[in-house]
Amino acid sequence: MTMFQDMGISPATLKAVKNMGFEEATPIQAETIPISLQNKDVIGQAQTGTGKTAAFGIPLVEKIKKENHNIQGIIIAPTRELAIQVSEELYKIGAGKRVGVLAIYGGQDINRQIRALKKGPHIIVGTPGRLLDHINRKTIRLDTVETVILDEADEMLNMGFIEDIEAILAQIPNERQTLLFSATMPGPIRKIAERFMKDPEVVRVKAKEMTVPLIEQFYVEVQEKNKFDVLTRLLDIQSPELAIIFGRTKRRVDELSEALNLRGYTAEGIHGDLTQAKRMSVLRKFKEGSIDVLVATDVAARGLDISGVTHVYNFDIPQDPESYVHRIGRTGRAGKEGMAITFVTHRETSYLHVVEKTTKRRMEKMTAPTLDQALEGQQRAVIEKITQTIESNNLQYYRQAADELLKGHDAQTVVASVLKMLTKEPDTTPVKLTEEKPLPNRNKKPQGDRKRYDNRGDGRKKPYKPRSGTKRTGGGGGSREGGGYKSRSSR
């Protein structure tokens, strides 16, 4: 077990990493970070879900000179979705040092990108086509770059970006550090490594496999707007002793915990914006059982000692399989059985398949429960409590009152009244949750495919015309919010 505090990382970066919920390094992080901090070239053979972004992101951030507003690091990624995802994680890792990160991809207004470039980001994350476009326009200069990272190189090969990558690397000084990450190592990728890297060290890591066979795993296909009602019905039917609900964002966690309390559940949220004292207070209440439901972002899934959890509900499916393993690993501990239920919108089913492939376990489909089933579930829970009370045989102080009730009413009516009184009927108090966008669709043609069209981002597809001197690859079609320059000094 390698802890981040043992890796010689600066206090500012270590604090940022801990705020993200990371305490223990994954295998690829444990191997790659020390090598990279020595300024050596690295070939990392690793799939999505192994923690490779932090593996290259932490040492990259460590090497950034904050006062120097030239581009010092560049990450080349195959799709705009990955470019945005990587830039967001680098922004969090660099929070302590206030490192400026900019995502560059096709489909976004290029003038907006040019304005952001003038603010002097330290790190650029970009798709090949748009990077080349900026190089040709001379709006990006790479002569100050000290570190270059090729992420998902085999995917870039599959999309026909090898020539573009070579053209970009030719603009970067030879005295640099190069890191290449790829799930597979086909011939053309090995040739790039031979040509552009200096005595690289090879790190091979497989995606983490499931080690929690006692956990029952289900998924429910449900529309975003119906998720909350389905969740509360499942809570009513299953009556979990201790449950964790995972949401994708801090806003989601805050809104969910508030909505659950409005519906009569005792719930509290935990995420990275809370102080350490507040987080520990919430966890203590959860462990003591004074709250039934903990609502959390992934920060609660990593490195925290939580035991006795019977149910995990993934209100939002996580973006990578490793997060899923960490989440559901909260339950089924110490030889006990546990249950994990993942909510999936129709557009996110491809992520479900990636999780299943990585964990080598199929999830069983569960039908969304009805209101009647929720009521039945609550009734069963009450009957179970009554049965336990009968078996305890400590009823002598109540028999006289029972006799009086039975004089005026038949037994069935009396029992039905007790059941009604004790049953928590499903609450339909209206709640409003901000809709979260589904994760990018893995099944659609990757953004950046240049074979037939160049998508300009304004909804109209125009015939592909290469710019003189280079190929036009786009690196991402359509418009999307986000991915802009992120620097705390300019926020």
Side-chain angles (χ1 to χ4, degrees), residues 126-142:
T127 50
R130 185 51 67 97
L131 283 171
L132 273 179
D133 202 343
H134 280 287
I135 289 168
N136 289 334
R137 291 168 184 259
K138 301 193 183 331
T139 46
I140 281 183
R141 292 177 62 89
L142 301 181

Side-chain angles (χ1 to χ4, degrees), residues 133-279:
D133 202 343
H134 280 287
I135 289 168
N136 289 334
R137 291 168 184 259
K138 301 193 183 331
T139 46
I140 281 183
R141 292 177 62 89
L142 301 181
D143 52 354
T144 56
V145 170
E146 296 173 359
T147 307
V148 58
I149 295 149
L150 305 178
D151 197 9
E152 298 197 2
D154 49 356
E155 191 64 27
M156 290 195 278
L157 170 65
N158 293 339
M159 293 170 68
F161 285 140
I162 288 294
E163 290 178 17
D164 299 336
I165 291 167
E166 291 178 351
I168 295 165
L169 291 174
Q171 300 290 321
I172 300 170
N174 288 330
E175 292 304 311
R176 63 166 187 264
Q177 182 186 23
T178 307
L179 294 90
L180 183 151
F181 290 86
S182 188
T184 59
M185 285 291 161
I189 300 295
R190 285 197 297 271
K191 283 180 183 174
I192 279 196
E194 289 167 9
R195 185 174 166 195
F196 291 99
M197 302 179 80
K198 296 173 185 172
D199 301 321
E201 296 214 17
V202 179
V203 176
R204 289 190 180 89
V205 174
K206 289 183 179 178
K208 221 175 210 179
E209 291 188 14
M210 191 74 70
T211 55
V212 276
L214 290 173
I215 297 177
E216 290 186 280
Q217 296 171 63
F218 299 90
Y219 74 94
V220 182
E221 195 166 318
V222 58
Q223 290 180 307
E224 172 73 22
K225 63 182 179 182
N226 297 331
K227 277 185 177 181
F228 188 73
D229 283 334
V230 170
L231 173 68
T232 55
R233 289 171 194 173
L234 284 170
L235 290 172
D236 289 342
I237 290 167
Q238 296 169 347
S239 299
E241 291 174 38
L242 282 177
I244 303 183
I245 299 165
F246 284 103
R248 191 174 297 138
T249 63
K250 289 174 280 194
R251 177 182 65 191
R252 175 73 102 188
V253 165
D254 288 337
E255 290 183 356
L256 261 178
S257 49
E258 187 179 331
L260 284 164
N261 282 300
L262 197 62
R263 289 270 181 101
Y265 306 90
T266 52
E268 285 209 43
I270 183 170
H271 54 62
D273 273 4
L274 300 182
T275 64
Q276 183 68 12
K278 175 63 177 172
R279 283 168 61 187

Side-chain angles (χ1 to χ4, degrees), residues 280-464:
M280 297 314 293
S281 168
V282 172
L283 285 171
R284 188 172 60 253
K285 288 183 195 174
F286 185 61
K287 289 176 182 179
E288 290 169 354
S290 56
I291 56 176
D292 305 321
V293 181
L294 181 68
V295 190
T297 55
D298 284 320
V299 71
R302 297 174 183 270
L304 293 175
D305 179 24
I306 304 172
S307 57
V309 176
T310 55
H311 292 69
V312 167
Y313 300 92
N314 292 310
F315 197 81
D316 301 307
I317 189 168
Q319 192 154 266
D320 61 89
E322 188 184 58
S323 293
Y324 176 83
V325 172
H326 275 290
R327 285 182 181 188
I328 74 166
R330 300 298 100 197
T331 183
R333 290 187 164 188
K336 294 180 181 177
E337 291 187 9
M339 181 179 289
I341 299 168
T342 300
F343 292 1
V344 185
T345 63
H346 180 69
R347 287 180 59 186
E348 293 173 327
T349 51
S350 57
Y351 286 83
L352 186 75
H353 300 146
V354 171
V355 167
E356 288 180 328
K357 185 177 177 184
T358 304
T359 59
K360 294 181 169 57
R361 280 278 296 275
R362 290 293 298 272
M363 289 189 220
E364 194 175 328
K365 186 169 186 177
M366 178 184 283
T367 306
T370 64
L371 204 58
D372 287 345
Q373 288 171 326
L375 181 57
E376 286 171 20
Q378 287 296 292
Q379 286 177 354
R380 279 197 305 273
V382 170
I383 290 168
E384 198 173 307
K385 284 180 184 175
I386 292 173
T387 304
Q388 287 171 356
T389 307
I390 291 169
E391 288 170 354
S392 71
N393 202 24
N394 189 21
L395 306 170
Q396 58 268 34
Y397 296 110
Y398 303 93
R399 291 190 184 279
Q400 187 177 341
D403 287 340
E404 286 177 18
L405 270 173
L406 289 168
K407 283 176 187 174
H409 309 279
D410 65 89
Q412 189 179 35
T413 302
V414 171
V415 174
S417 298
V418 172
L419 284 171
K420 179 176 172 60
M421 184 177 66
L422 296 177
T423 299
K424 176 187 174 292
E425 296 186 4
D427 192 332
T428 55
T429 304
V431 299
K432 182 163 178 59
L433 298 178
T434 306
E435 192 166 313
E436 291 283 346
K437 290 181 180 178
L439 293 172
N441 190 341
R442 286 177 180 269
N443 287 335
K444 69 182 179 181
K445 182 188 288 186
Q447 301 291 347
D449 187 346
R450 64 188 177 187
K451 289 179 182 175
R452 294 181 59 196
Y453 292 103
D454 176 28
N455 189 335
R456 309 289 180 178
D458 59 3
R460 295 175 291 117
K461 286 187 174 180
K462 299 177 183 178
Y464 157 65

